[in-house]
Amino acid sequence: MRELFAGVFGPGGTVRHFMSPGRVNIIGEHLDYNGGYVFPAALSLGIQALVRYHDGPQIKMRSTAYPDERIINLENPIVNDGSGGWWNYPAGVIRHLTDSGHGFTGADILFDSSLPEGAGLSSSAAIEVLTACVMLRGEPADDGERIRIAVLCKNVENRFIGVQCGIMDQFAVAMGKKDHAILLKSDTLAYSRVPFNLNDHSLVIMNTNKPRKLSGSKYNERRAECDRALAEISKRRPIGSLAEATMPEIEELADDILRRRARHVVSENSRVLASVDLLKKNDLPSFGMLMTESHRSLRDDYDVTGFELDALVSASMDTDGCIGARMTGAGFGGCAIALVKSDKTDKFIESAGAAYKKTSGIAADFYITDVADGVREIPGQ
């Protein structure tokens, strides 16, 4: 990357190196905007940036995946250009930081990603949090600063990009810790880091290779449906979030769609808390069963899986060595995860991949990745 950087921006000067992970949500899908618990972890896959600062007003950005250079002039208003291009994410972060009173000079930035684009591993949150650390010229000093960065980047997603996501993705990217997942109460930001030890099992990430774009999907529609369900329940008993509802209250909802959406939220919240207890007890088979229950709920009640994700999860569960599988991320394509005996991962990838290809006509990609630290600066070489 340093050779690429010199070829793109010219040699010389001090070049600093930053790394931001992707994230996988172990369990607890579509709860972060419903006041529930989520259980994400940062990954060793992620986005890197090489940066050289200078005194001019321009921030020049390049990606190893795309040919065009993008330039932000700090003396001009920073706006979303409406293209849906990757550069709008760092642009939004720079805009929000400047609006918050931070003053910057220029920089040359080269991004490089090992995350599959549009796969649901939070490439958008990774580049947002990464850009914040690049512009602030160092990794966060403590957890408090990491949380402030996560909140700012969530606001970028909501207000600049136009996706009404919750805080989970940015929080996991900023706050990740090696070999730990994060139990996060998304409405209060209360959190704890929980050891994530799989012993003789491996977490396999499986990309359906059906990409999704949240701003063009039904993500915002699901959020609106949950807001409507919360409003209906609150007419009978005021509650602060849909995750606080009870099953009897949900069954009283007259609208079948709202009832199913709310049923997923409440049942999934229970599965998250049960999963943490099972992992602490090292009961992986029972945890695997909860993963599979989660997928069924996302398929039948929340309606966010789709043909490809269902086919990949089904192929996984039919393969020897797999004790649990589910979609991860927002859905509508993207990735699933499977818990697989470590000595059977090669055979699992071969067999599940072949079954999925036969059913869908698409070749899936498989990743065995470590649970890693959050955003950080890598010391100079």
Side-chain angles (χ1 to χ4, degrees):
M1 274 192 70
R2 289 181 180 273
E3 291 179 2
L4 283 172
F5 185 93
V8 170
F9 295 117
T14 300
V15 178
R16 293 168 66 176
H17 187 185
F18 294 82
M19 169 69 183
S20 186
R23 75 94 188 92
V24 64
N25 193 25
I26 307 301
I27 195 167
E29 227 58 78
H30 287 275
L31 295 186
D32 58 339
Y33 55 84
N34 280 306
Y37 284 96
V38 291
F39 196 50
L43 300 174
S44 53
L45 300 171
I47 303 177
Q48 301 181 69
L50 291 184
V51 188
R52 182 175 60 205
Y53 301 101
H54 58 75
D55 292 332
Q58 291 187 337
I59 298 172
K60 298 179 179 179
M61 302 184 300
R62 291 286 295 267
S63 167
T64 59
Y66 301 96
D68 296 336
E69 179 176 89
R70 294 288 160 168
I71 299 176
I72 294 174
N73 190 324
L74 294 169
E75 297 176 345
N76 298 330
I78 301 172
V79 298
N80 187 326
D81 67 6
S83 67
W86 65 269
W87 50 84
N88 284 300
Y89 295 94
V93 172
I94 297 167
R95 161 73 179 273
H96 276 248
L97 285 171
T98 55
D99 287 351
S100 300
H102 294 278
F104 302 116
T105 57
D108 301 325
I109 310 173
L110 178 65
F111 294 104
D112 180 73
S113 178
S114 59
L115 293 171
E117 186 176 355
L121 300 182
S122 290
S123 57
S124 60
I127 198 170
E128 289 161 357
V129 173
L130 178 61
T131 301
C133 291
V134 165
M135 298 310 300
L136 295 171
R137 300 198 175 197
E139 68 179 65
D142 53 33
D143 279 1
E145 185 177 349
R146 289 178 179 274
I147 292 172
R148 286 190 290 274
I149 287 174
V151 171
L152 180 139
C153 291
K154 172 191 175 291
N155 290 336
V156 169
E157 196 88 29
N158 296 163
R159 301 170 188 171
F160 193 87
I161 302 299
V163 175
Q164 299 307 309
C165 67
I167 189 67
M168 176 183 65
D169 294 354
Q170 293 82 6
F171 198 96
V173 169
M175 294 285 287
K177 182 180 179 182
K178 182 175 174 57
D179 297 328
H180 288 71
I182 302 170
L183 179 65
L184 172 65
K185 186 69 163 60
S186 49
D187 56 347
T188 65
L189 299 190
Y191 71 95
S192 61
R193 293 183 174 99
V194 179
F196 190 65
N197 300 313
L198 297 181
N199 301 323
D200 58 348
H201 286 74
S202 296
L203 190 67
V204 181
I205 297 175
M206 309 177 291
N207 187 0
T208 63
N209 281 317
K210 180 193 177 183
R212 57 168 180 75
K213 292 190 179 295
L214 288 186
S215 55
S217 73
K218 293 189 176 182
Y219 183 97
N220 290 344
E221 180 181 311
R222 291 294 175 275
R223 182 159 189 166
E225 290 166 346
C226 289
D227 289 344
R228 287 164 52 201
L230 174 61
E232 288 295 318
I233 293 170
S234 294
K235 291 177 182 177
R236 305 180 183 93
R237 179 176 70 93
I239 55 177
S241 67
L242 189 55
E244 298 174 28
T246 65
M247 283 297 183
E249 289 172 328
I250 290 167
E251 294 308 318
E252 291 180 1
L253 290 170
D255 188 300
D256 178 64
I257 290 178
L258 299 189
R259 189 166 57 248
R260 289 192 292 116
R261 305 298 187 250
R263 185 164 58 221
H264 165 74
V265 170
V266 173
S267 64
E268 184 80 344
N269 198 52
S270 297
R271 281 186 288 271
V272 174
L273 297 176
S275 293
V276 172
D277 289 339
L278 291 171
L279 288 169
K280 288 179 178 178
K281 296 174 184 176
N282 204 30
D283 187 351
L284 291 181
S286 296
F287 169 61
M289 291 174 61
L290 288 182
M291 290 175 61
T292 307
E293 287 180 15
S294 171
H295 184 85
R296 283 197 292 265
S297 179
L298 289 158
R299 180 192 66 197
D300 299 337
D301 282 339
Y302 218 67
D303 194 21
V304 292
T305 58
F307 173 76
E308 289 82 6
L309 279 167
D310 290 339
L312 188 51
V313 168
S314 178
S316 300
M317 292 304 301
D318 289 341
T319 302
D320 184 40
C322 179
I323 64 171
R326 61 181 292 273
M327 60 153 274
T328 187
F332 314 107
C335 282
I337 55 176
L339 195 59
V340 182
K341 288 278 291 184
S342 296
D343 61 359
K344 296 184 177 180
T345 53
D346 289 344
K347 184 64 175 176
F348 168 83
I349 290 170
E350 178 184 349
S351 299
Y356 174 69
K357 176 76 177 290
K358 182 178 180 180
T359 301
S360 69
I362 304 171
D365 291 324
F366 295 82
Y367 306 84
I368 300 174
T369 180
D370 297 324
V371 173
D373 289 326
V375 68
R376 57 201 181 273
E377 183 171 2
I378 298 173
Q381 301 173 0

